[in-house]
Amino acid sequence: MDKEKIKTTVILRGIGVSPGIVSGRAYVLDRCDVQALHIKMESDEALSKETERFQQALADSEMQLRGIKDRLEDGEGIGPLFINVQIMILRDRKFVESTVNYIRENRINAEWALNLTISKYRDIFSRIDDSYIKGRIKDIEDVAQLVFRYLSDERCERVADIPEKVILVARDLSPADTVQIKSDKILGFATDVGSKTSHTAIVARAIEIPATVGLETITREVMTDDIVIVDGTSGVVIVNPDPEILKRYEEKKRHYLVLEENLLREAHLPAVTKDNHRIGIGANIEFSDEIASAVLHGANGIGLFRTEFIYINKERLPTEEEHFMHYTQVVRGDGIKWATIRTFDLGGDKFISDPRLSDEMNPAMGLRAVRYCLREVELFKVQIRAILRASVYGNTGILIPMISGVQEIKTVKKIISEVQDNLRAEGIPFNEKTKLGIMIEVPSAVVIAEYLAREVDFFSIGTNDLIQYTLAIDRVNERVDYLYQPCHPAVLRLIQHVVNAGHQAGIKVAICGEMAGDPLYTLVLEGLGLDSLSMTPLAIPRVKKIMRESTLKESKELVAKVMTFTEPQEIEQHLRTYMVQRFPELCPLTNE
Ligand code: PEP
Ligand code: MG
């Protein structure tokens, strides 16, 4: 009976986070999540034993993490960085003190006290708007699992111990697991939980192995040694495919590889339409060591460097030299013609322990991004100084997030000018012509774009937030996800208005939201007159190819047509039909 069930073909749909197709034997990783028991401690002696046990588990956990870090081949890159974050959490004073206090005050065992600490952090993180930061509760949960295991003395499998070429199936993978994944050993992976901004997804893309997350039940549907197909492009996973499906996917995989190889071979070609309209192509990066991949995939420059990641991976505020090191690395990157460095877009500096921000009722509209920088001016000045100092090494732009009015940008300019005066007085060189731009991601900024255009050198439209604020939908709330519509007529009109206002003032207008990397919207954005598009590196070759095969004339006609529709569904349907017919290879029909 069981055997029958195992052999049944099961098709699951999740979120494709790293493109490509792979098939092979599954290896189900037993994460053996440890459940905490609630035990009351009667004697003081028992209580101090619990505190000691907790301290010992922290020390053992740190030793294990340091061991993993040492085994990672080089000391640079994302891998060791993630381990550092975990070690940082283990040593976080508030994390440790909170648990010890729970043990003493509630007279409970260490496991239950740790459980209470995690619940408290979950509550705090659930109120943070930024999807990336919100997702970082995972880091704390992973660290807690490690400590739980030492408390309970359970031994669990680690990714490093997996012997052969397999497709990894797990409820979730911790950063410590993912950084040990080597593409020659793990062919791909599929997990029950996860999102596009999770560490797991970032690492999968960085090492370029197909991955699908958010499958909900994959660990229940599959057993070790089952044959599994992971399609990380469409987000589909097939368990125990019949020979017919297997054959079809082998064909699809061959086709995908040939197409990707061809696209990559041509990735360096400029994004120039057949009627000679040139569009700048930038990469969105979160870490300075993504430059090589950005260039390989055909970026001319870095359109968005999300610098908040520099803050996130630190237990203290980064120094000016640390900022400077990251920015020079980006600005001087081989093959990088320009780099746009976005200033800090975060709600809090010490993201785990700053209660001022996590207590906000509505963090998306709270003390975020430039608002925070204008409150914490010294922190802002350190960053501006470092960017200006890096500007002598390459074509650099400063990008300010979340500007909602003219006064804000005037204040920012005054601060930049003070920093420049200081640098001059100290004889420190910087490029006097460093360009200043703003993210257009708040509807008020769209409406007054012509006034803002007088103040800055360029605009970059952040559709991720602009859509959220325009359509009044929380971008991380899955219950209103159906309303997150980049092709809503209101959104397209806002983009059109910004482009017109920018061009009338003689400044360039870029777009750097996720929409820029979705081939469905390539022609629309081209036709709307955007000067450059910035996107995740892997998306670049396809978008450039579509542009090279199109004409500006046809994309303008397409825009004129979609602007006649009143409903997002009509626009989406029209675009889908048009793009699939026009570029059958590059915009495949549906996600299988
Ligand atoms: C945006 O809002 O579109 C954007 C690019 O910025 P982020 O996703 O970092 O908020
Ligand atoms: Mg934004």
Side-chain angles (χ1 to χ4, degrees), residues 130 284 304 306 308 342 345 368 439 441 461-466 475 512-514:
D130 186 296
N284 291 356
L304 175 65
R306 290 182 162 109
E308 49 276 12
R342 181 174 75 180
D345 182 7
R368 183 187 158 183
M439 297 275 298
E441 50 188 349
I461 305 176
T463 42
N464 302 345
D465 278 313
L466 185 59
R475 83 192 228 194
C512 62
E514 289 304 309

Side-chain angles (χ1 to χ4, degrees), residues 106-124:
N106 298 9
R107 301 188 75 84
I108 49 173
N109 57 328
E111 286 91 337
W112 196 251
L114 183 55
N115 225 8
L116 292 178
T117 298
I118 301 308
S119 302
K120 187 170 76 183
Y121 280 117
R122 270 194 205 112
D123 183 43
I124 292 170

Side-chain angles (χ1 to χ4, degrees), residues 95 118 336 360 368:
F95 176 77
I118 301 308
I336 293 298
E360 288 190 335
R368 183 187 158 183

